[in-house]
Amino acid sequence: MRKIACTLLVFLVALFAADRLGSMAMEWVFRHSNDVLSPKLRHLADGVDEDVVLLGASRCHHHYVPSVIADSLGLSVYNAGVGGADNIYSHYIVLCHVLASHAPKVVCLEVMPTDVNQQAEPFTVTSFFAPLYGRNAVADSIFLLAGTHWRYRLSHLYRYNAKASSMLWGLVLNRQRGSDNGYIPLERAAIPPSSATAEKPVGETDSLKLSYLKRFADLCRQHGTQLVLTISPKFTLAGANHYDALRQFARDNALPLLDYHTPGLYLDHPEYFKDVSHLCDEGARVFSSLFAHDLKEVMEDSTHICIFANANGH
């Protein structure tokens, strides 16, 4: 019995040592990788200090060009959008890390129905942010909600599990070419001019997600940061009711909502798109110029509640 206990103890010690040594190795990889995500997470960890911070998923990541927006506003701008981070739980984590070091003048949140509607696996993509676990208690509360808190607490190496292969490839393959303060450009793709299809109907509203969107807005207010909700163009047709839940949230919380999708902005410019959901670099730069103009107006007039972009304003 004693021999079994000793063997088990040795095994646990070896397992602990392997985990901690492995996590140290992956932390080094994380600190040196030039994959798509690691530089953005490093910036969040080291401290964001820009005046305007853009948050959202891939459409934020590839649609808003900080240098273009900064030139118009005369303020520093950072694109903190994370591809695949498709709901409010991920954005809440990012906001907590942003506010830990700095209160921006403005936070622009690119929203979409999945931020407030039911999803089969809403917490899956929160694992992208696990390398930041332990740095911010409020952000870590999402991992507790997701049921992964104790895994990350016990295993430091497991925190790198979601993006380990991407981080390793980032040591040899630079995915940051053409990057601009968090923005990464996409190449143009051939989209037939008449190929725009209707958006699929949205699902039922998730009350927990809606409560976290409210927490997101409240955190911005507590830090004196102006929150602007925005919806960038897609090469699809959005029904009149597609964003009803988000519009209602904006009205209830007196927040500006800049909607460039419902009016069908750039549907006459298929050359501006990489695919039906994402602008290419040319389109992103044209859009960023228009967005910066509208954002400047919102910043100068905080009484705006909802603003809908002119579909011909390009």
Side-chain angles (χ1 to χ4, degrees), residues 73 105-108 226-230 254-260 290-309:
L73 300 181
K105 295 180 185 296
V106 179
V107 163
C108 298
Q226 183 177 8
L227 174 60
V228 177
L229 305 180
T230 182
L255 294 171
L257 171 61
L258 300 173
D259 180 0
Y260 303 91
L290 172 61
F291 171 75
H293 174 271
D294 292 345
L295 179 59
K296 190 172 185 178
E297 287 190 350
V298 171
M299 293 171 65
E300 292 171 351
D301 184 2
S302 59
T303 63
H304 283 295
I305 294 179
C306 287
I307 294 178
F308 299 98

Side-chain angles (χ1 to χ4, degrees), residues 150-179:
W150 286 106
R151 295 180 217 173
Y152 298 141
R153 188 174 179 84
L154 291 172
S155 173
H156 292 196
L157 181 59
Y158 188 70
R159 300 173 188 179
Y160 301 93
N161 180 61
K163 291 291 184 178
S165 59
S166 175
M167 290 179 186
L168 289 167
W169 271 112
L171 294 177
V172 295
L173 181 64
N174 187 355
R175 299 291 302 279
Q176 294 294 313
R177 289 192 178 90
S179 62

Side-chain angles (χ1 to χ4, degrees), residues 10-188:
V10 170
F11 174 77
L12 291 175
V13 170
L15 189 64
F16 176 85
D19 179 80
R20 294 305 188 264
L21 289 172
S23 69
M24 290 171 62
M26 283 306 301
E27 173 68 15
W28 184 91
V29 172
F30 168 62
R31 280 287 163 189
H32 293 83
S33 177
N34 281 312
D35 67 338
V36 173
L37 181 59
S38 296
K40 195 159 288 190
L41 294 184
R42 290 198 297 267
H43 191 59
L44 291 174
D46 296 340
V48 176
D49 60 2
E50 284 79 9
D51 300 314
V52 178
V53 179
L54 301 146
L55 276 70
S58 61
R59 295 190 333 106
C60 174
H61 187 193
H62 299 298
H63 289 189
Y64 300 85
V65 187
S67 60
V68 173
I69 300 169
D71 285 346
S72 179
L73 300 181
L75 299 170
S76 56
V77 180
Y78 183 71
N79 187 327
V82 175
D86 63 349
N87 65 52
I88 189 59
Y89 302 125
S90 296
H91 312 327
Y92 186 78
I93 290 174
V94 176
L95 179 68
C96 290
H97 284 284
V98 169
L99 295 177
S101 58
H102 168 66
K105 295 180 185 296
V106 179
V107 163
C108 298
L109 176 63
E110 165 88 20
V111 290
M112 52 188 178
T114 51
D115 283 309
V116 293
N117 291 343
Q118 294 177 3
Q119 289 175 293
E121 300 289 342
F123 295 105
T124 301
V125 295
T126 59
S127 60
F128 294 178
F129 305 95
L132 301 180
Y133 177 86
R135 302 172 191 262
N136 187 293
V138 183
D140 289 350
S141 68
I142 296 294
F143 299 124
L144 189 61
L145 196 64
T148 53
H149 169 78
W150 286 106
R151 295 180 217 173
Y152 298 141
R153 188 174 179 84
L154 291 172
S155 173
H156 292 196
L157 181 59
Y158 188 70
R159 300 173 188 179
Y160 301 93
N161 180 61
K163 291 291 184 178
S165 59
S166 175
M167 290 179 186
L168 289 167
W169 271 112
L171 294 177
V172 295
L173 181 64
N174 187 355
R175 299 291 302 279
Q176 294 294 313
R177 289 192 178 90
S179 62
D180 179 341
N181 229 25
Y183 161 81
I184 293 182
L186 293 175
E187 296 179 358
R188 181 192 299 179

